[in-house]
């Protein structure tokens, strides 16, 4: 892939490189850039014009101090107790911003589901499969890309789980 393809798409260079390594160069033209940002799931859904649940959030947690990535639909919250049980961990907490950047190479609000600096365990909530297409960050708070959830989960190397917080 040429540098200009990454520059044109607006994707983070590390994420652009990951796309090439995965044979996904054809995704570059489908990356959408929003100058005003799409830092939150709500902002991303409004900018794209899709349902909030079609946004794939990439959230880093610390399970007994070890980073784990959880992929969750944009309209749901992660139940950390379910993540704890799934991992057999004693304690699961939201990761601090420094740990997110250190682990993934990206800032909060722009973490993609794959293409991270380090290899991390990945859990994907089953709710993502409710859609034909989901949108995820492309490495910056201003860029997103569409992908069918099964392909996204496969490229992330994720284990399919049920870790969505149940609403009353």
């Amino acid at each position: 892939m040429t540098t200009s393809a990454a520059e044109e798409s607006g994707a983070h260079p590390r994420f652009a490189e990951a796309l090439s390594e995965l044979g996904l160069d054809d995704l570059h033209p489908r990356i959408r850039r929003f100058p005003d940002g799409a830092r939150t799931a709500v902002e991303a859904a409004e900018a794209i014009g899709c349902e909030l649940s079609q946004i794939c959030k990439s959230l880093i947690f610390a399970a007994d101090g070890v980073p784990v990535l959880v992929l969750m639909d944009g309209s749901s919250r992660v139940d950390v107790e379910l993540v704890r049980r799934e991992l057999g961990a004693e304690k699961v907490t939201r990761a601090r911003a420094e740990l997110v950047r250190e682990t993934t190479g990206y800032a909060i609000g722009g973490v993609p589901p794959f293409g991270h600096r380090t290899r991390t365990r990945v859990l994907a909530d089953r709710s993502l499969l409710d859609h034909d297409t989901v949108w995820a960050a492309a490495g910056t708070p201003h860029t997103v890309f569409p992908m069918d959830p099964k392909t996204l989960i496969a490229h992330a190397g994720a284990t399919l789980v049920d870790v969505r917080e149940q609403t009353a």
Side-chain angles (χ1 to χ4, degrees):
M1 186 206 69
T2 64
T3 304
S4 61
E7 290 169 352
E8 282 177 33
S9 73
H12 187 285
R14 176 178 286 109
F15 185 68
E17 188 177 309
L19 291 179
S20 292
E21 289 171 4
L22 292 168
L24 297 172
D25 282 322
D26 61 328
L27 195 58
H28 284 286
R30 297 171 54 211
I31 292 173
R32 295 185 51 193
R33 184 166 179 27
F34 299 103
D36 293 336
R39 189 174 304 275
T40 67
V42 171
E43 288 174 358
E46 287 174 359
I48 296 162
C50 69
E51 292 178 37
L52 184 56
S53 61
Q54 285 180 271
I55 301 300
C56 175
K57 300 187 288 190
S58 297
L59 306 168
I60 300 288
F61 292 86
D64 295 337
V66 178
V68 61
L69 172 65
V70 177
L71 304 177
M72 177 60 70
D73 80 80
S75 65
S76 299
R77 294 175 51 95
V78 173
D79 184 325
V80 292
E81 176 59 19
L82 292 177
V83 172
R84 187 193 69 72
R85 278 190 242 150
E86 184 67 41
L87 298 173
E90 287 187 30
K91 183 178 181 185
V92 173
T93 59
R94 280 301 275 269
R96 292 189 331 271
E98 310 85 60
L99 181 62
V100 172
R101 188 178 286 279
E102 181 184 303
T103 301
T104 67
Y106 305 97
I108 291 173
V111 177
F114 49 82
H116 298 172
R117 184 211 261 154
T118 62
R119 194 128 175 85
T120 308
R121 182 149 182 206
V122 184
L123 303 177
D125 190 78
R126 215 172 290 285
S127 60
L128 292 169
L129 298 176
D130 292 345
H131 301 284
D132 294 332
T133 300
V134 293
W135 293 83
T140 77
H142 299 277
T143 54
V144 294
F145 70 95
M147 186 173 275
D148 82 86
K150 285 182 183 172
T151 302
L152 184 141
I153 290 165
H155 284 301
T159 302
L160 208 52
V161 295
D162 292 303
V163 293
R164 178 170 42 171
E165 193 174 85
Q166 298 303 311
T167 54

